[in-house]
Amino acid sequence: MNIYQHFRPEERDFIDQAIGWKEYVEHSYAPKLTDFLDPREQQIVKTIIGSHSEVKWKLFGGNNGAERQRTLIYPEYLEPDTEDFQISLFELVYAKKFISIEHRQVLGSLMSLGLKRGKFGDILLKGDQVQFYAAAEIADYVRMNLESIGRAGISLKEISLLDAIQPEEVWKELSVTASSLRLDTMISALYNISRQKSQLYVQQGAVKVNWTKIENPAFECGEGDIISVRGLGRSKIATIEGKTKKEKWRVIAGRQK
């Protein structure tokens, strides 16, 4: 069976990587810990490893609702726990009275350290409290090199995972039907707008799928995709349940409140 036919052509490199992880665990009988993966990458790993009897997988991103998670792929004899995921949690210390810090500023400053996005998990904000997850193997480097966010001087305090901000983002579950899995059709169904309007959003560069701008209305959506539309918020496709009697796709999704 050709595994690639179930995925997008541009996902091929990641699929090869995931197959490599699975084979490593099978042959070495030792666990493999990935970087933080986005929901679509998590979906691909689950599909490739499946319910294979000798190789198991488990996801954890620092808290139960985390969007970006590390995957531990391991032989069946192992019983993984939280420590095995090697995740550090940092809180920003800064002059809160004078400065407000936004998500995009935190991400921009982390990316300017020259590390891959996969080394960082979710960024958590609540009021003036700002935290982020990082892979433990780069924690010292981040602590030594991250000295400012935007124009604000900051320092970092490493804290227990138990002290993580509980994300304020709430996903509202919805069930929709759509005539196809095309991006414009899905946006139309998820946000309850006309197909014409959804095509316009896509063509104007206002739509991202898994953090990548997509300008092709015919792009095919899949399970695990996070769709964000400028001005309308974010949605995620949890499950594609198959077709109804009227040949429409039934999709279980989440909309961010």
Side-chain angles (χ1 to χ4, degrees), residues 3 6-8 11 14-15 18 21 34 36-51 57-59 67-71 73 210-211 221-226 236-241 252:
I3 187 85
H6 300 288
F7 301 103
R8 300 171 188 139
E11 292 172 335
F14 183 77
I15 293 160
W21 295 334
T34 74
F36 288 94
L37 307 180
D38 69 39
R40 175 66 181 174
E41 291 167 335
Q42 295 165 27
Q43 188 64 40
I44 292 171
V45 170
K46 288 181 199 175
T47 306
I48 283 166
I49 294 171
S51 49
W57 54 268
K58 197 170 183 179
L59 296 163
E67 190 171 276
R68 300 178 62 81
Q69 304 190 56
R70 299 191 88 168
T71 309
I73 303 163
N210 304 327
W211 302 272
C221 299
E223 287 189 344
D225 279 344
I226 299 264
K236 64 179 172 187
I237 296 176
T239 318
I240 295 169
E241 295 200 316
I252 303 294

Side-chain angles (χ1 to χ4, degrees), residues 12 37 47 49 80-81 105 122 129 162 182 216 220 232 237 242:
R12 196 170 180 136
L37 307 180
T47 306
I49 294 171
D81 59 29
Q105 294 172 310
D122 288 1
Q129 225 183 337
L162 299 173
R182 281 173 54 115
N216 173 15
E220 189 161 307
L232 298 182
I237 296 176

